[in-house]
Amino acid sequence: MSITLKTVQDKKDLKRFVYLPEKLNAHRPEWVPPIYSDDMRVLDPKRNPAHRYCDSVLLLAYDGEELIGRIAGIINHRYNDYANTKTARFSFFEAPDRLEVSKTMLDYVENWARDKGMQKIVGPQGFTEEDSEGFIYEGYNETPTLGCIQNLPYVNEHMEKLGYGKEVDWFVYKVEVKKAMTETYARLFERASRNPNFHLLEFTKKKQLKPYVRPIFDLMNEAFMVLYGYTPLDEAEIQSMADRYMPLLDPRFIKAVETTDKQIIGFIVSIPNMSEGIKKAKGRIIPFGIFYMMQSAKKSKQLDNYLGAVKEEYRGKGVDVLLGYSQLKSAYEAGFEIIDSHHVLEDNIKMRAENERVGGVIYKKYRLYSKQL
């Protein structure tokens, strides 16, 4: 039977689109669902400011009456203008191990993108760089982190058979907390702590974070400009992202460094891994899901890094040491055994060196695919 596609038209279609992964991955006991309410927010033009400058199309794939796949096509015009490119994206890709399903969905998005004047397509990549990106191709059985795609190997095989090649790779490092806290690192931390020009900020309550939210995002915008796919967040997006992640944050694992004139010049944000809680909650925050997630975070032995940056002119001057070692100390005191670095671009040599300096080893790899149109 031929595969038919239907564009998402209403709330019922959108619900089918968002919850399809639950059906397709039901046979995988290790699979961790997304937080479905977060996916709903990302896809809602009223709640996600990125829709103001992105075109998108959401597709459902059917075999007869059975829903078997989904995909989104996205064009981020703001990024295209900034990067002087004509590139579309595909995202929210879910399909069984049937090449014709993947081909039918991708063919549609490719034609949609061509009709809008695009010359290239990349994916998986969401509306912005803060959304999920990259298919995993090494480390399939490792514990997943928030916002990371958990495809099976056949998806990468489909991409290659359909003419897609590597655009960029991201590496993920595993750092053993106790081993990373070497005497040398401790001495470097003590030396950096004596620098009168730097002040390490540590937090115990969420309300203490509020004055620093905007300065941290301003620094992120500045530092991330050189990273693949990034465009600066505006005021509405900063607020949206803060609202999105604030409930999950533990202030103990947020660090910042400021100068004597109160300028934020570095920060790191980490979140305890809560995969087991999300599994127990089946991806649903209400009614008890958030409780399961918080309980899981308290029992977790893995701390996941999410964001971090140092202002360019202060790199290599001790700010990175203040952030890195203080985060290790907090992780160790809280009983964490490993830290997951999250995505590090393959060509981000400085960030890779920081992870390798503390004994980090690559244990996951993700790939963004591309194809000329």
Side-chain angles (χ1 to χ4, degrees):
M1 191 174 291
S2 64
I3 306 303
T4 57
L5 299 178
K6 177 186 177 183
T7 57
V8 170
Q9 298 289 341
D10 54 31
K11 290 183 179 180
K12 287 184 178 179
D13 286 343
L14 182 60
K15 188 174 181 179
R16 294 185 186 104
F17 185 95
V18 167
Y19 287 94
L20 177 62
E22 189 168 60
K23 171 188 173 183
L24 295 185
N25 294 284
H27 64 290
R28 300 174 59 189
E30 78 286 357
W31 181 73
V32 178
I35 298 176
Y36 293 114
S37 59
D38 191 55
D39 283 357
M40 282 286 195
R41 187 206 63 80
V42 169
L43 294 168
D44 184 350
K46 294 180 180 179
R47 292 190 289 163
N48 182 1
H51 286 268
R52 294 172 301 164
Y53 52 83
C54 291
D55 292 337
S56 61
V57 60
L58 307 182
L59 299 168
L60 298 167
Y62 288 86
D63 185 350
E65 297 296 318
E66 183 182 7
L67 178 59
I68 58 169
R70 73 173 191 184
I71 193 171
I74 298 168
I75 299 173
N76 183 324
H77 293 288
R78 189 165 74 180
Y79 175 75
N80 283 353
D81 291 343
Y82 166 74
N84 192 27
T85 186
K86 294 182 178 180
T87 301
R89 309 168 176 196
F90 71 84
S91 187
F92 290 94
F93 180 95
E94 292 283 344
D97 189 6
R98 293 170 56 184
L99 184 62
E100 71 273 20
V101 179
S102 298
K103 183 178 187 306
T104 300
M105 295 194 302
L106 285 164
D107 281 352
Y108 185 103
V109 174
E110 290 168 19
N111 289 328
W112 172 81
R114 281 193 197 94
D115 290 343
K116 290 183 173 289
M118 298 299 105
Q119 298 172 351
K120 178 181 177 181
I121 186 167
V122 301
Q125 188 176 39
F127 291 90
T128 71
E129 203 267 347
E130 283 69 46
D131 297 325
S132 301
E133 52 191 3
F135 285 134
I136 191 168
Y137 71 93
E138 283 188 19
Y140 294 100
N141 296 320
E142 300 291 350
T143 301
T145 58
L146 279 173
C148 288
I149 297 170
Q150 301 168 66
N151 58 283
L152 290 170
Y154 70 78
V155 173
N156 305 82
E157 295 169 7
H158 287 191
M159 298 306 300
E160 292 169 4
K161 289 177 180 178
L162 295 173
Y164 283 78
K166 171 186 170 181
E167 176 74 1
V168 295
D169 280 358
W170 290 274
F171 297 160
V172 181
Y173 287 84
K174 177 193 285 186
V175 175
E176 294 186 41
V177 173
K178 193 172 182 178
K179 287 184 179 180
M181 298 176 69
T182 63
E183 291 183 9
T184 300
Y185 204 4
R187 286 196 297 270
L188 290 171
F189 176 75
E190 289 302 321
R191 182 187 304 169
S193 299
R194 293 195 295 270
N195 188 329
N197 298 313
F198 302 150
H199 176 221
L200 175 66
L201 299 170
E202 298 188 274
F203 308 95
T204 56
K205 298 178 181 179
K206 287 184 181 180
K207 66 180 181 180
Q208 296 172 324
L209 297 170
K210 290 184 179 180
Y212 300 100
V213 170
R214 184 57 194 256
I216 283 174
F217 276 109
D218 286 344
L219 177 55
M220 186 178 83
N221 275 340
E222 176 186 331
F224 284 17
M225 284 290 287
V226 297
L227 299 182
Y228 179 90
Y230 189 80
T231 50
L233 302 176
D234 62 24
E235 187 71 41
E237 290 169 307
I238 288 172
Q239 189 60 54
S240 176
M241 193 172 177
D243 292 345
R244 184 177 176 183
Y245 287 106
M246 190 63 77
L248 304 178
L249 296 181
D250 185 327
R252 293 177 298 168
F253 308 115
I254 299 173
K255 315 290 182 185
V257 175
E258 66 178 5
T259 58
T260 53
D261 61 356
K262 304 298 182 181
Q263 179 188 14
I264 296 296
I265 57 172
F267 72 90
I268 188 169
V269 177
S270 305
I271 301 175
N273 188 281
M274 53 188 72
S275 293
E276 289 303 314
I278 297 173
K279 283 169 68 174
K280 187 174 181 180
K282 298 182 179 180
R284 294 158 172 83
I285 288 180
I286 298 172
F288 303 115
I290 191 66
F291 171 77
Y292 297 147
M293 293 176 203
M294 294 299 102
Q295 286 296 107
S296 174
K298 290 179 181 178
K299 297 177 181 178
S300 178
K301 298 299 181 183
Q302 176 174 314
L303 184 65
D304 299 333
N305 287 343
Y306 275 91
L307 295 171
V310 175
K311 197 172 180 67
E312 186 173 8
E313 57 264 38
Y314 291 97
R315 293 170 191 168
K317 297 183 178 180
V319 177
D320 50 345
V321 173
L322 287 171
L323 295 169
Y325 195 80
S326 62
Q327 192 72 302
L328 282 171
K329 284 206 308 179
S330 293
Y332 180 75
E333 290 166 1
F336 290 100
E337 296 174 358
I338 64 170
I339 292 178
D340 178 294
S341 72
H342 204 56
H343 286 32
V344 178
L345 275 165
E346 180 182 21
D347 62 359
N348 190 343
I349 304 303
K350 290 182 179 179
M351 201 60 219
R352 291 185 60 188
E354 283 296 315
N355 281 281
E356 290 166 10
R357 180 173 72 172
V358 295
V361 294
I362 296 169
Y363 79 127
K364 301 177 198 170
K365 293 182 180 180
Y366 291 82
R367 175 160 293 174
L368 187 75
Y369 289 89
S370 65
K371 183 179 182 179
Q372 295 298 322
L373 299 176

